[in-house]
Amino acid sequence: MKTTISYPTKAGMGKTGSWRVFRPVLHEDKCIKCWICWVFCPESAIERDEFPKIDYDFCKGCGVCANECPVNAIEMRREEK
Ligand code: SF4
Ligand code: SF4
């Protein structure tokens, strides 16, 4: 039996970073590299590097990563004007 798996595509809706009001900021000292943020990001804006790397061109600031992080390693900060 064949199974179809779909993956979210970066830039599927253009550069969603222009929508952002809050920006996720990673605190590496807290991160345990569980990659839950990478799994849940709806824009695929998190890349797997030594630590999660957020691509701000595509991050729309939804806060899902911060909500899902089990150790509160991601802080949502208001964008400066
Ligand atoms: S706030 Fe987090 S989950 Fe939302 S788009 Fe940005 S990196 Fe992805
Ligand atoms: S969910 Fe939190 S602890 Fe896990 S990799 Fe992402 S930032 Fe690090």
Side-chain angles (χ1 to χ4, degrees):
M1 189 176 112
K2 283 190 176 175
T3 307
T4 304
I5 301 173
S6 68
Y7 293 93
T9 308
K10 184 188 273 190
M13 294 179 70
K15 286 201 171 185
T16 43
S18 60
W19 302 357
R20 203 173 47 240
V21 177
F22 289 91
R23 102 173 4 224
V25 176
L26 175 72
H27 294 287
E28 290 183 1
D29 55 327
K30 291 186 183 173
C31 177
I32 57 172
K33 301 184 187 179
C34 65
W35 303 110
I36 290 174
C37 55
W38 174 79
V39 171
F40 276 86
C41 175
E43 297 298 327
S44 295
I46 299 177
E47 290 165 23
R48 290 182 69 146
D49 205 336
E50 189 188 348
F51 285 96
K53 195 168 144 196
I54 299 161
D55 185 335
Y56 291 110
D57 278 344
F58 299 102
C59 165
K60 63 186 177 188
C62 64
V64 168
C65 55
N67 281 335
E68 296 299 331
C69 177
V71 292
N72 295 322
I74 301 177
E75 175 193 347
M76 297 303 290
R77 268 193 214 152
R78 185 172 279 277
E79 289 280 1
E80 311 224 337
K81 295 257 160 105

